[in-house]
């Protein structure tokens, strides 16, 4: 009988871990430009997730996560929105990484294998779509950002930084999102799936 509360606590923690990993994917998607209804729903989801994290962190006396989740509840508050739909990039990126890291640390090694496979499959599907978008959909004009970039850790060769202007490009918003976030897609899903699968393999 004494083990039941521990099991229940562990079960709740695993549910939170899965919610955190799912929430990090939702935050990744929020870095695009979508209809207002998407951001309204996302605010509710991230606000609820932040409240759950805050309650978990309070029960564990994890003060850093209490502060992080409290700020999350403040920023993503659906009742008095603090972020405009165009202002999610920096905050959304921070909470995407933070909640993914917490989810990876909490998930059980056996579940980490399933989650890692799902992250890897999702990331590869997005990168395959990105390849299609880059090679089979129209491109906008390139413009100079005013900066220069150098290869090999700044040792050269160097050249002007050019970006694609997609403001008037007649392709779907999801295609613009994938094209502009290709490196982030590779980085986020690559690192997340690697860490999850490493955790799974360490328990074998």
């Amino acid at each position: 009988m004494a083990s039941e509360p521990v099991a229940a606590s562990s079960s709740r923690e695993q549910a939170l871990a899965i919610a955190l990993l799912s929430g990090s994917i939702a935050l990744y998607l929020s870095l695009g430009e979508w209809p207002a209804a998407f951001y309204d729903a996302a605010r509710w989801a991230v606000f609820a997730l932040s409240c759950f994290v805050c309650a978990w962190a309070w029960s564990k006396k994890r003060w850093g996560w209490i502060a992080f989740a409290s700020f999350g509840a403040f920023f993503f508050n659906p009742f008095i929105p603090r972020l405009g739909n165009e202002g999610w990039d920096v905050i959304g990126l921070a909470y995407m990484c933070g909640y993914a890291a917490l989810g990876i640390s909490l998930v059980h090694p056996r579940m980490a294998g399933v989650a890692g496979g799902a992250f890897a499959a999702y990331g590869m599907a997005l990168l395959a779509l990105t390849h299609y978008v880059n090679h089979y959909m129209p491109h906008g004009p390139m413009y100079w950002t005013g900066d220069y970039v150098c290869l090999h850790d700044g040792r050269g060769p160097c050249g002007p930084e050019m970006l694609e202007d997609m403001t008037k490009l007649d392709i779907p918003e999801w295609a613009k999102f994938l094209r502009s976030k290709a490196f982030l897609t590779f980085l986020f899903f690559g690192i997340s799936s690697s860490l999850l699968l490493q955790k799974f393999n360490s328990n074998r």
Side-chain angles (χ1 to χ4, degrees), residues 129-204:
L129 274 175
T130 302
H131 176 82
Y132 172 80
V133 168
N134 285 337
H135 289 82
Y136 298 102
M137 286 190 173
H139 285 263
M142 304 298 289
Y143 67 93
W144 181 37
T145 64
D147 293 327
Y148 289 88
V149 292
C150 299
L151 300 176
H152 310 301
D153 297 324
R155 295 189 298 271
C158 301
E161 182 182 42
M162 306 296 291
L163 291 179
E164 181 182 5
D165 182 4
M166 294 188 286
T167 53
K168 297 181 180 179
L169 193 58
D170 188 21
I171 60 175
E173 287 301 327
W174 63 264
K176 294 180 182 179
F177 171 76
L178 289 176
R179 183 175 289 173
S180 64
K181 306 296 183 189
F183 182 68
L184 178 63
T185 302
F186 174 79
L187 203 62
F188 175 63
F189 287 98
I191 292 175
S192 298
S193 58
S194 296
L195 291 173
L196 285 163
L197 292 173
Q198 183 181 19
K199 186 170 187 178
F200 170 71
N201 289 326
S202 68
N203 193 53
R204 296 178 67 180

Side-chain angles (χ1 to χ4, degrees), residues 51-118:
C51 291
F52 284 126
V53 171
C54 202
W56 166 83
W58 180 265
S59 71
K60 301 292 183 179
K61 302 297 185 287
R62 302 283 292 273
W63 308 115
W65 284 112
I66 290 173
F68 188 77
S70 296
F71 279 114
F74 173 80
F75 285 124
F76 297 104
N77 180 358
F79 304 103
I80 308 175
R82 304 291 179 178
L83 295 175
N85 294 350
E86 71 288 345
W88 282 52
D89 276 4
V90 175
I91 302 297
L93 184 63
Y95 279 85
M96 177 190 81
C97 295
Y99 284 159
L102 182 58
I104 291 169
S105 71
L106 292 180
V107 73
H108 191 279
R110 286 197 299 271
M111 184 61 71
V114 177

